[in-house]
């Protein structure tokens, strides 16, 4: 493989393989619990994969168990543009990453369905990343506007998603184990989750609505003081109210609950590694839980790629995780596009090196629209093509306008909604056939 188009095609193939490994039709059916002889299955879902997960689960219970609408009930909520067709399980589209009224209404109904479960029923919760914004039920004294303002402030602050969700859990009537608390005693609850978080921690996936929360109100207060000190007064007041503390590990309310991850970032990286190996490259997995500032991680990966190129190895660097961007400018883009732009600058046209960075849910930052870009591709011609068109890559990075930069080059990654979410995917190809000394 000695030409740029072939390397770019391989990058697209690796990204597609990572997404396919986490699709609901592949990973969900073997784990769905069987219904009781006469009770109902109550399906409750939230997140970017919820549309596909609800569709697959409904089909499974109809076809494999013969359940009709009298024994199969539920409600799913996913982000706008990510809905799927179902026969009698309702799906609602709601705001992400900033919550909206549709999410509030759907969450209220979700809590009601859980509370109305009967003896013999089994509640099956289908979770994926994005559920934190889709399931929105502010605690008493907090308004939707308050939650929206706080979310925007935290997203712009450079706080990690784990830190953001610690705050969210203590301001919600469904997160941090409270959905499990809403069901009647003795009704079993099984949660099947697509993980998009570092270390696959259950409490971090959609802010852990069905699992105990080890974090505290004090933790949430400290994070708001650090990242969003100007948050609405109602937020500060709510975080001082002991009634908003979440249920902790060891609480008997979690008796009868089960949590299982059915797809995870590591599996997607392994699928991509298999393809890279088949194409004659040595896959090097850097981990599925990378965190940090996107431009700093890009600098580290550029140095690694140059060293590998100098050694004459034919390699693909693979990594996952969720990077962050501290907003300093007025541009548009997400952490994957910022990583790609910073990587291009750090590589400075080094021959034989190309990369893709994309969010496996199909969107990276953006406006909340389903057709936002998922990320971007770079190669040795990226900076030269930009310069010929009069575009200064460093200036675009300075104002956090990675979308604007790659849009001008035609290098945005636009897969559209993928109906799943196992976090970010990055692949850096180093092709020794053309790679020279750094």
């Amino acid at each position: 493989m000695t030409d740029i188009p072939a390397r770019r095609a391989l990058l697209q193939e690796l990204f597609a393989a990572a997404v396919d490994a986490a699709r609901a039709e592949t990973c969900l059916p073997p784990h769905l619990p069987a219904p009781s002889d006469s009770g109902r299955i109550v399906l409750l879902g939230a997140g970017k994969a919820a549309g596909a997960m609800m569709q697959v689960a409904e089909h499974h219970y109809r076809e494999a168990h013969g359940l009709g609408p009298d024994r199969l009930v539920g409600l799913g909520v996913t982000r706008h543009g990510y809905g799927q067709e179902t026969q009698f399980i309702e799906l609602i589209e709601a705001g992400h990453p900033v919550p909206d009224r549709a999410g509030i209404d759907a969450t209220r109904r979700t809590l009601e369905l859980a509370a109305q479960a009967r003896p013999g029923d089994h509640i099956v919760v289908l979770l994926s990343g994005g559920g934190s914004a889709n399931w929105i039920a502010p605690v008493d004294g907090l308004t939707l506007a308050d939650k929206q303002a706080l979310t925007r402030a935290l997203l712009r602050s450079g706080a990690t998603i784990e830190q953001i969700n610690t705050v969210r859990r203590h301001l919600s009537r469904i997160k941090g184990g409270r959905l499990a608390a809403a069901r009647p005693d003795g009704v079993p609850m099984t949660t099947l989750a697509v993980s998009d978080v570092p270390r696959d921690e259950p409490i971090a996936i959609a802010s852990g609505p069905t699992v105990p929360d080890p974090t505290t109100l004090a933790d949430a207060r400290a994070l708001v003081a650090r990242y969003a000190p100007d948050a609405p007064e109602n937020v500060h007041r709510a975080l001082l109210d002991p009634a908003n503390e979440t249920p902790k590990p060891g609480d008997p309310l979690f008796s009868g609950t089960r949590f299982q991850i059915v797809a995870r970032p590591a599996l997607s990286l392994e699928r991509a590694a298999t393809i890279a190996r088949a194409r004659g490259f040595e896959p090097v997995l850097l981990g599925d839980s990378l965190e940090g500032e996107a431009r700093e991680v890009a600098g580290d990966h550029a140095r690694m790629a140059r060293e590998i190129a100098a050694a004459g190895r034919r390699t693909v660097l693979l990594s996952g995780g969720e990077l962050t961007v501290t907003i300093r400018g007025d541009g548009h883009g997400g952490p994957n596009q910022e990583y790609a732009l910073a990587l291009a600058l750090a590589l400075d046209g080094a021959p034989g090196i190309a990369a893709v960075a994309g969010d496996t849910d199909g969107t990276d930052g953006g406006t909340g629209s389903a057709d936002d870009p998922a990320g971007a591709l770079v190669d040795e011609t990226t900076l030269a093509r930009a310069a010929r068109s009069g575009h200064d890559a460093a200036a675009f990075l300075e104002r956090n306008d990675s979308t604007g930069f790659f849009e001008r080059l035609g290098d945005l990654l636009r897969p559209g909604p993928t109906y799943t979410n196992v976090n970010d995917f990055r692949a850096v190809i180093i092709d020794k056939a053309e790679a020279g000394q750094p």
Side-chain angles (χ1 to χ4, degrees):
M1 179 180 296
T2 59
D3 63 288
I4 292 170
R7 283 195 290 273
R8 291 169 71 96
L10 176 56
L11 291 169
Q12 296 268 14
E13 184 180 5
L14 294 174
F15 178 81
V19 171
D20 288 346
R23 293 195 184 277
E25 56 267 34
T26 300
C27 65
L28 184 59
H31 306 288
L32 290 165
S36 65
D37 291 339
S38 59
R40 301 176 304 167
I41 291 291
V42 182
L43 289 176
L44 305 175
K48 298 169 188 174
M53 294 177 82
M54 296 292 278
Q55 181 188 58
V56 168
E58 182 193 72
H59 181 267
H60 171 82
Y61 285 116
R62 284 193 294 105
E63 298 300 318
H65 297 282
L67 300 190
D70 59 325
R71 294 192 58 204
L72 183 58
V73 299
L75 177 67
V77 55
T78 189
R79 71 170 289 171
H80 289 294
Y82 279 59
Q84 295 280 64
E85 185 177 348
T86 52
Q87 288 203 6
F88 43 80
I89 297 293
E90 185 179 1
L91 279 173
I92 292 174
E93 297 184 357
H96 181 280
V98 178
D100 60 13
R101 175 57 58 182
I104 284 186
D105 293 341
T107 306
R108 173 185 53 78
R109 293 174 58 195
T110 297
L111 288 166
E112 290 172 354
L113 282 167
Q116 293 164 3
R118 307 188 293 255
D121 289 351
H122 194 141
I123 300 173
V124 180
V125 180
L126 305 176
L127 282 187
S128 60
S132 292
N134 292 155
W135 270 348
I136 175 77
V139 295
D140 291 343
L142 206 63
T143 67
L144 173 59
D146 292 332
K147 292 292 290 284
Q148 290 172 328
L150 176 65
T151 299
R152 292 189 182 100
L154 291 172
L155 288 170
R156 293 179 62 87
S157 70
T160 67
I161 191 62
E162 184 176 356
Q163 291 169 326
I164 292 172
N165 286 345
T166 294
V167 177
R168 283 169 159 169
R169 287 194 293 272
H170 291 89
L171 297 172
S172 171
R173 292 183 292 109
I174 192 169
K175 299 177 174 67
R178 288 190 172 98
L179 178 58
R183 80 195 199 284
D185 291 342
V187 174
M189 173 178 280
T190 296
T191 302
L192 303 176
V194 174
S195 172
D196 70 323
V197 300
R199 299 170 295 280
D200 299 325
E201 295 176 353
I203 190 59
I205 302 171
S207 297
T210 64
V211 296
D213 178 18
T215 69
T216 65
L217 278 166
D219 296 328
R221 287 195 296 269
L223 290 168
V224 170
R226 177 181 178 184
Y227 290 108
D230 297 327
E233 182 58 33
N234 287 341
V235 169
H236 295 284
R237 187 178 299 110
L239 292 177
L240 289 169
D241 187 347
N244 293 330
E245 189 57 273
T246 49
K248 304 303 176 198
D251 194 311
L253 75 85
F254 294 104
S255 177
T257 67
R258 182 173 70 89
F259 186 99
Q260 183 175 359
I261 293 174
V262 299
R264 64 188 75 227
L267 177 61
S268 289
L269 292 182
E270 291 164 6
R271 186 72 59 84
T274 298
I275 291 176
R277 196 175 293 112
R279 301 293 185 272
F281 288 85
E282 172 197 0
V284 175
L285 275 65
L286 303 179
D288 64 352
S289 302
L290 271 62
E291 296 178 283
E293 279 284 332
R295 60 183 69 184
E296 294 175 5
V297 175
D300 292 341
H301 289 184
R303 286 188 289 274
M304 193 179 304
R306 284 176 171 275
E307 291 171 0
I308 291 171
R313 293 160 56 196
R314 202 162 185 248
T315 303
V316 178
L317 302 177
L318 297 168
S319 64
E322 189 158 18
L323 307 182
T324 54
V325 173
T326 301
I327 303 296
R328 301 176 179 88
D330 59 357
H332 298 283
N336 290 286
Q337 295 162 82
E338 179 136 333
Y339 167 94
L341 180 51
L343 184 73
L345 284 162
L347 289 172
D348 194 25
I353 303 177
V356 65
D359 196 322
T360 57
D361 69 6
T363 64
D364 176 52
T367 62
S369 171
D371 61 1
D372 284 333
L377 295 101
V378 300
D379 58 45
E380 62 202 68
T381 72
T382 298
L383 297 186
R385 286 186 287 123
R388 285 197 299 270
S389 301
H391 303 308
D392 182 347
F396 276 89
L397 181 62
E398 180 63 26
R399 63 177 184 267
N400 300 113
D401 194 18
S402 51
T403 297
F405 178 81
F406 287 111
E407 191 166 40
R408 286 164 173 79
L409 295 184
D411 285 344
L412 288 171
L413 179 67
R414 290 187 180 276
T418 62
Y419 309 106
T420 191
N421 182 24
V422 284
N423 221 317
D424 297 340
F425 173 83
R426 293 173 294 274
V428 182
I429 291 175
I430 303 102
D431 191 345
K432 71 176 182 181
E434 291 189 17
Q437 297 291 329

